[in-house]
Amino acid sequence: MAKVQVTSADKTKINTYTFFLVSRMDAGKKYYVVSELEHLTLEADSSKVSRDGQFVGKLVPESGYELPQNITIEYGSDVQKVSGNLYSSVTGEINLKASWHMLIRAKGVKASDFFVADHVKYQITSSENVAVVGTDVEDNATWTVTDCIIPATVSKDGKNYQVTELGEEAFIGCKKLKSITLPAGLTTIGERCFAGCVSTLTEMHCLNPVPAAFPQLFFHDTMEELNNSSPVYDCVLYVPAGSKAQYAQAEGWKNFGGILEDGEIIEPVVGETTDSTMTITCNAFEQATGYIVKVYEDAAKTRLKDEYQFDADGKLRSSSFSFTIKGLSAGQTYYIETMAVREGYYPTPIIISQNTIEAKTTGTATANEGVTADKPIVCVQDGEVVVRSSGEISVRIYDLSGQSIVAGKVTGYGSFQLTKGMYIVVAGDESYKVVIR
């Protein structure tokens, strides 16, 4: 058993908790826990102090203040920030193994420094910057947001702040979160930021061309959990054009299920078409371990006619692969879904990229038709934008600034040589985003 003595009644200044351990092995041994607090009270319950010197306490903020994200502990010359299992910024509970002398430093945060925008909670950290510290609900498991976009700047009381940090445990336990976008100005990511999200978060879009420092416990709750899991995160990482190589070499980031540059998509193209066959040509992905082609008879993709699975060996490792679908009906429209996949830690493969196009078989055995009668096909081949149509359509191509690059008409087939970059192609009434590399 152990005894706790509070030697300072004024808890706004310095509190000293002295442990007199009276077990046979540690008889008479004392442990000291000293606290330096601002706008907080440290409460300790003697019934929760174990005989081996475990300190259990709780920080309680004053009116108008909130708990800090982490606290500082000093063990002699050893100074460390404490959070996670040892300190909860939600409940204020502290559970530490006391040394012979331990100092707890903590400072309450003004409630006015916190605000919520689009279901995300922010904290003002300087005159110019804010940090994401959580969601707008008390229990992240109840957060209903599935696709979250963290903006580059947020506004409070008419003042704009730059988002530079994801705080520790900011999205911990967000079980419904499937996709998140991180802003270009993000420089810091806290430990356990996405703990408990590894099985549900399937897309992460990082707009920063330079990878931020990757915390060790990014997707995990404890070091034991990290050590017992696969280093391949079942989540696809999308990064700005030209930065894929940096992320692929950066510690932590390189372990994502797939790394794609924005705009890098699988692009199936229908080639030769007869009354009962279609030839599908598709670009290959370096990180893919396999490909899946599904043929549906309806746009809602509820009536699956055929499914084909390929591994990444042989010709699929080249710049593209081709496959002929047989046994189709004449004069019928089909919906072709093509997926590049990668085997991950979980039984279901990670879908790196997927795309669905529609194509129609011809009405006779001798005719060829490369596109549908309803919509044109737009793709990139050999550095050119290629447009195929069943009749004459207008074609306009814009750069990302909105400037018109091409304006003309295409009948059946047309190709346009452009410089490297991302473009918006308007073919008839359809719009497409393409990337030329």
Side-chain angles (χ1 to χ4, degrees):
M1 57 184 297
K3 179 181 178 182
V4 176
Q5 176 182 351
V6 180
T7 59
S8 173
D10 184 359
K11 295 184 178 181
T12 63
K13 294 183 181 179
I14 296 180
N15 309 325
T16 302
Y17 295 82
T18 307
F19 301 103
F20 299 92
L21 298 186
V22 293
S23 64
R24 285 182 296 177
M25 293 183 61
D26 297 316
K29 189 173 182 180
K30 297 181 181 180
Y31 291 81
Y32 300 96
V33 178
V34 181
S35 63
E36 292 183 359
L37 309 174
E38 292 186 39
H39 309 296
L40 297 168
T41 296
L42 178 60
E43 299 177 350
D45 186 346
S46 61
S47 65
K48 295 183 180 179
V49 180
S50 65
R51 61 191 296 172
D52 61 351
Q54 196 78 11
F55 178 79
V56 178
K58 183 177 182 180
L59 289 176
V60 179
E62 294 178 1
S63 177
Y65 288 82
E66 295 195 20
L67 291 165
Q69 283 299 111
N70 51 59
I71 62 178
T72 302
I73 305 295
E74 294 186 14
Y75 300 90
S77 60
D78 182 18
V79 180
Q80 58 181 292
K81 288 185 177 180
V82 175
S83 63
N85 292 334
L86 303 180
Y87 165 68
S88 170
S89 60
V90 177
T91 64
E93 293 181 356
I94 303 172
N95 194 324
L96 301 169
K97 179 69 177 293
S99 66
W100 69 275
H101 187 280
M102 183 174 65
L103 173 63
I104 300 176
R105 282 200 176 103
K107 182 178 180 180
V109 183
K110 283 185 179 180
S112 60
D113 287 345
F114 292 93
F115 63 97
V116 172
D118 293 330
H119 304 290
V120 175
K121 188 176 183 180
Y122 297 89
Q123 178 189 347
I124 299 174
T125 55
S126 73
S127 61
E128 303 294 333
N129 302 327
V130 296
V132 175
V133 294
T135 68
D136 63 342
V137 297
E138 187 171 335
D139 181 4
N140 280 357
T142 65
W143 202 47
T144 58
V145 175
T146 57
D147 301 291
C148 177
I149 299 177
I150 306 297
T153 59
V154 289
S155 178
K156 183 179 186 297
D157 299 331
K159 179 177 174 58
N160 290 330
Y161 296 88
Q162 186 176 10
V163 181
T164 60
E165 180 180 353
L166 294 185
E168 296 174 355
E169 304 181 5
F171 295 98
I172 184 172
C174 290
K175 297 296 185 181
K176 295 180 176 64
L177 184 62
K178 296 180 179 179
S179 171
I180 189 165
T181 299
L182 307 181
L186 191 69
T187 59
T188 305
I189 300 176
E191 289 284 355
R192 304 171 74 242
C193 187
F194 295 98
C197 302
V198 67
S199 61
T200 57
L201 187 61
T202 57
E203 289 186 18
M204 181 171 291
H205 298 257
C206 291
L207 303 186
N208 196 336
V210 180
F214 194 89
Q216 194 170 26
L217 295 177
F218 186 89
F219 276 127
H220 301 93
D221 199 42
T222 63
M223 284 302 300
E224 181 180 5
E225 182 182 309
L226 173 64
N227 293 334
N228 292 332
S229 69
S230 166
V232 177
Y233 306 129
D234 283 12
C235 179
V236 178
L237 177 66
Y238 296 86
V239 299
S243 60
K244 182 176 178 178
Q246 291 189 62
Y247 277 89
Q249 297 173 6
E251 195 62 41
W253 297 107
K254 64 184 180 182
N255 293 328
F256 273 72
I259 303 177
L260 301 181
E261 294 185 354
D262 279 333
E264 185 179 358
I265 62 173
I266 193 165
E267 295 179 310
V269 176
V270 177
E272 183 180 6
T273 304
T274 71
D275 64 334
S276 61
T277 66
M278 291 181 186
T279 300
I280 305 295
T281 301
C282 189
N283 55 311
F285 276 76
E286 179 183 353
Q287 299 173 68
T289 59
Y291 299 85
I292 300 174
V293 176
K294 294 184 178 182
V295 182
Y296 293 92
E297 296 178 331
D298 62 322
K301 295 189 288 190
T302 60
R303 300 197 305 270
L304 178 65
K305 178 174 177 55
D306 287 302
E307 178 177 339
Y308 307 89
Q309 297 190 17
F310 309 88
D311 59 26
D313 293 331
K315 62 183 180 182
L316 298 191
R317 288 198 178 277
S318 62
S319 60
S320 66
F321 68 91
S322 180
F323 175 72
T324 300
I325 301 172
K326 300 179 181 179
L328 305 179
S329 299
Q332 183 171 333
T333 298
Y334 293 94
Y335 299 84
I336 315 299
E337 181 181 60
T338 308
M339 293 177 284
V341 300
R342 175 174 171 177
E343 297 295 330
Y345 180 68
Y346 294 93
T348 303
I350 307 163
I351 300 175
I352 297 177
S353 184
Q354 69 183 80
N355 200 352
T356 301
I357 62 173
E358 59 179 273
K360 187 176 181 180
T361 55
T362 63
T364 64
T366 57
N368 289 329
E369 182 179 355
V371 296
T372 72
D374 301 319
K375 293 183 180 181
I377 289 181
V378 175
C379 63
V380 175
Q381 291 181 340
D382 299 324
E384 293 183 333
V385 174
V386 175
V387 179
R388 293 186 177 91
S389 67
S390 59
E392 183 180 82
I393 59 170
S394 62
V395 175
R396 290 157 294 165
I397 302 178
Y398 302 89
D399 62 18
L400 293 186
S401 68
Q403 181 178 353
S404 177
I405 305 299
V406 172
K409 294 183 180 297
V410 167
T411 302
Y413 177 90
S415 63
F416 305 92
Q417 185 74 46
L418 301 175
T419 59
K420 292 182 179 180
M422 185 178 295
Y423 299 91
I424 303 298
V425 180
V426 180
D429 296 328
E430 304 294 326
S431 296
Y432 307 82
K433 183 173 70 173
V434 299
V435 178
I436 297 180
R437 294 180 173 80

